[in-house]
Amino acid sequence: MGGLKADLSGQVAVITGSTSGIGLALARGLAACGANIMLNGLGDAGEIETTRKAIEDDFGVKAAFHGANMLEADEIADLIAETNRAFGRLDILVNNAGIQQVAKIEELPVAKWDAIIAINLTSCFHTIRHAVPLMRKAGRGRIINIASAHGLVASPFKSAYVAAKHGVVGLTKTVALEVAEANITCNAICPGYVRTPLVESQIADTAKARGISEEEVVRDVMLSAQPTKKFVEYDHLTGLLLYLVSDAGASANGAAFPVEGGWTAA
């Protein structure tokens, strides 16, 4: 991992959806700067344990895992409570968990709409409401919500995802205003297309929805929106995250930072 470094020694970070993809990259970026890590997400138990141990071995920090289901409010509450029990503090909250479904609005199953709103948006409400009291008590905190370029602009066939991510941006702004005087900040990072397992699945779904090839989806749908014609790299997101959680980012609050090669500039 290149880019900005920050001294996060002794701090504790919770990253939802961090067993793979963007979330894992962000967790490792924080650990590389000295933060202890609470992982969360789905996957094979053995693979998750290997991932957890690798963070400890690679960076000399403590790492734990909590399997909270982002559909369940009680489990999300226990994720934050267990972090406090295990580490005695919570300094950084990164809300990254998310799911997607590409479909025409009249064909999108109601259950899928509900799940996308719950995991992408409502879970952020639950983590934040439990994290803020701990941060207020400590006198400092950093909340970063991983939204999307789709939190700023829309695309067809993604009604639930776009609605949820716009909601994440609105939630970010509201929380930022409420906690500003407590030395807590709340910001959103809005990535364009990153070649993650989630995006890989979207390529196939979009090809089916639009009746075009997967190659055409990448070239003419996904990267056509990004003027650079390149996928966003994990390091680009990690660099911004480290700025926002560091003392240098103390005056950044309530903002939605696009990292999408200029997609939303038009």
Side-chain angles (χ1 to χ4, degrees):
M1 187 208 75
L4 179 70
K5 286 283 187 178
D7 184 5
L8 305 177
S9 301
Q11 294 193 35
V12 174
V14 170
I15 309 95
T16 67
S18 52
T19 51
S20 65
I22 291 172
L24 178 56
L26 297 180
R28 288 181 61 84
L30 293 169
C33 294
N36 297 313
I37 302 296
M38 177 63 82
L39 296 168
N40 159 263
L42 303 175
D44 175 80
E47 292 178 1
I48 291 172
E49 174 57 20
T50 298
T51 297
R52 185 202 66 77
K53 189 173 186 305
I55 290 174
E56 292 191 332
D57 292 344
D58 291 346
F59 305 114
V61 300
K62 295 179 181 178
F65 170 76
H66 192 291
N69 183 339
M70 292 295 109
L71 289 169
E72 301 295 334
D74 290 347
E75 293 186 27
I76 296 171
D78 191 63
L79 165 64
I80 303 302
E82 177 58 28
T83 300
N84 192 43
R85 287 192 293 267
F87 295 106
R89 59 192 291 174
L90 173 56
D91 304 276
I92 299 165
L93 170 64
V94 182
N95 285 309
N96 171 73
I99 61 171
Q100 170 65 292
Q101 176 76 36
V102 178
K104 296 177 182 178
I105 192 165
E106 67 269 28
E107 297 175 1
L108 181 67
V110 171
K112 183 61 70 171
W113 168 279
D114 290 343
I116 290 171
I117 297 299
I119 293 174
N120 290 276
L121 174 58
T122 306
S123 71
C124 298
F125 161 73
H126 289 301
T127 57
I128 292 170
R129 71 185 294 265
H130 291 292
V132 164
L134 300 177
M135 293 177 175
R136 287 190 188 276
K137 184 177 180 180
R140 186 186 187 279
R142 296 287 187 267
I143 301 166
I144 297 89
N145 298 318
I146 307 303
S148 168
H150 282 123
L152 304 172
V153 295
S155 293
F157 311 119
K158 298 182 178 181
S159 55
Y161 188 80
V162 170
K165 292 302 188 180
H166 272 67
V168 169
V169 171
L171 176 64
T172 298
K173 293 177 180 180
T174 301
V175 172
L177 296 177
E178 293 185 15
V179 301
E181 293 187 15
N183 197 29
I184 303 169
T185 64
C186 184
N187 291 287
I189 296 176
C190 300
Y193 283 102
V194 185
R195 195 135 200 175
T196 64
L198 179 63
V199 167
E200 290 288 354
S201 69
Q202 286 184 54
I203 292 172
D205 289 348
T206 302
K208 181 179 179 181
R210 291 178 179 253
I212 58 178
S213 71
E214 293 188 10
E215 292 75 14
E216 288 173 310
V217 170
V218 173
R219 184 187 69 239
D220 300 331
V221 179
M222 290 184 171
L223 296 187
S224 69
Q226 297 186 186
T228 56
K229 305 305 179 187
K230 297 177 181 179
F231 282 102
V232 176
E233 301 290 338
Y234 289 142
D235 278 0
H236 304 162
L237 303 176
T238 302
L240 177 54
L241 174 68
L242 295 180
Y243 163 71
L244 292 173
V245 302
S246 72
D247 290 340
S251 291
N253 194 33
F257 291 88
V259 186
E260 30 64 307
W263 176 355
T264 62

